[in-house]
Amino acid sequence: MPVLPASSWPSPPEGIAAEDLVWAETVTGGNYTHKVLARGTELRLTDLTGDACAHVLLYSADRPWERLNAADTVKVFWNAYLGEGHLLLSDQGRVLASVTEDTSGRHDALSGTSTLVRNTERYGDGTPQSATPAGRELFKLAALKNGLGARDIPPSVSFFQGVRISEDGTADFTASAGAGTSVTLRAEQPLTVLIANVPHPLDPRPAYNCGPLDVLAYRAAPTAPGDALWDATPEGRRAFLNTAEHLNTRGSHDRHHHPCGSRRL
């Protein structure tokens, strides 16, 4: 369960005032969480033990049919390996979130999360109430609590357990970078965020290994013209321009200081 109020979290990130925290919780292995975040909010995920694997889905908060598109996130930037400076795109060519900091470098935008069938084969069970729940089953629960269904769950991206593609096309699991690493995402438009903390589907260990994940979000500002990230690549600049045009036409371009909302039930 999240800490309420978030400002009572005992150790805010360095440089972040406690009163700016809007979401704070530790998600144990085999569990999930979700929240609606205002534009400009920064979301910091921390792998406490080196065994967390944060599978993440993003949706435009009031237009959930616009959602994370892992394929476009990879192909638009000609880069399958997520890290600092990468943009997480929707299928509309708009930026949902940007990766502003990364001390892990062990992520995956290709494999998605675990499924009921796969977990049942590997561990004997994959249902949400079991000791070995599948990521997709947990995503279904998080989606339902935000008015979404199973058909609204696209392939996810995952942080802290890496995969590299070898010359012959094999997906090689590279595991984590160790305890205490973190990744920070910046919401570039209002977002619904779903997170499932479950073992990576390519993790070769026979046991269901998944450690705790710290989830902290705090008020900040979205990427703007003049920021280095805005013009880092031609593709990224186009995606930011698409996002700005969309927000302008909806009259919400400057509404990034509104408090964050929650639909956690």
Side-chain angles (χ1 to χ4, degrees):
M1 295 295 292
V3 171
L4 298 176
S7 59
S8 63
W9 184 260
S11 53
E14 184 176 355
I16 303 301
E19 58 266 26
D20 285 331
L21 289 172
V22 295
W23 185 12
E25 69 176 296
T26 299
V27 183
T28 56
N31 282 281
Y32 72 98
T33 187
H34 57 99
K35 190 75 76 175
V36 178
L37 298 180
R39 179 173 178 254
T41 304
E42 292 193 345
L43 173 64
R44 180 171 297 180
L45 308 175
T46 302
D47 179 2
L48 296 178
T49 64
D51 269 333
C53 188
H55 302 264
V56 175
L57 285 176
L58 305 173
Y59 302 78
S60 177
D62 61 347
R63 303 172 66 256
W65 53 89
E66 182 172 0
R67 59 195 61 164
L68 177 68
N69 188 299
D72 284 357
T73 292
V74 167
K75 72 182 182 182
V76 168
F77 298 103
W78 303 91
N79 186 356
Y81 304 119
L82 300 176
E84 187 171 326
H86 212 117
L87 307 181
L88 305 181
L89 300 185
S90 75
D91 62 355
Q92 303 297 309
R94 292 190 277 261
V95 188
L96 295 173
S98 53
V99 182
T100 61
E101 296 180 17
D102 177 23
T103 66
S104 169
R106 303 289 182 90
H107 313 305
D108 181 21
L110 302 173
S111 305
T113 192
S114 52
T115 64
L116 177 62
V117 170
R118 176 64 168 160
N119 274 33
T120 301
E121 290 176 347
R122 291 191 65 181
Y123 309 116
D125 200 347
T127 58
Q129 297 77 23
S130 71
T132 54
R136 183 169 173 81
E137 298 306 298
L138 297 181
F139 275 144
K140 288 179 183 179
L141 296 181
L144 284 171
K145 293 177 180 179
N146 288 276
L148 305 171
R151 69 176 185 175
D152 298 308
I153 301 174
S156 57
V157 296
S158 56
F159 297 97
F160 303 118
Q161 301 292 333
V163 168
R164 290 274 162 171
I165 305 302
S166 63
E167 290 293 330
D168 65 1
T170 302
D172 297 323
F173 182 68
T174 59
S176 80
T181 60
S182 65
V183 61
T184 302
L185 309 181
R186 178 187 293 154
E188 303 292 358
Q189 54 180 294
L191 295 179
T192 299
V193 180
L194 312 184
I195 301 172
N197 183 26
V198 299
H200 191 282
L202 297 184
D203 190 331
R205 294 175 293 181
Y208 188 93
N209 288 300
C210 192
L213 174 76
D214 267 2
V215 179
L216 298 177
Y218 43 89
R219 296 183 182 92
T223 304
D227 291 351
L229 188 58
W230 185 282
D231 293 311
T233 66
E235 297 85 358
R237 185 173 189 274
R238 179 69 179 183
F240 276 120
L241 288 172
N242 285 341
T243 307
E245 186 272 341
H246 167 68
L247 294 170
N248 272 328
T249 58
R250 294 174 60 82
S252 57
H253 186 67
D254 295 317
R255 297 179 182 176
H256 57 266
H257 292 301
H258 282 192
C260 296
S262 170
R263 294 181 187 169
R264 181 76 181 254
L265 299 176

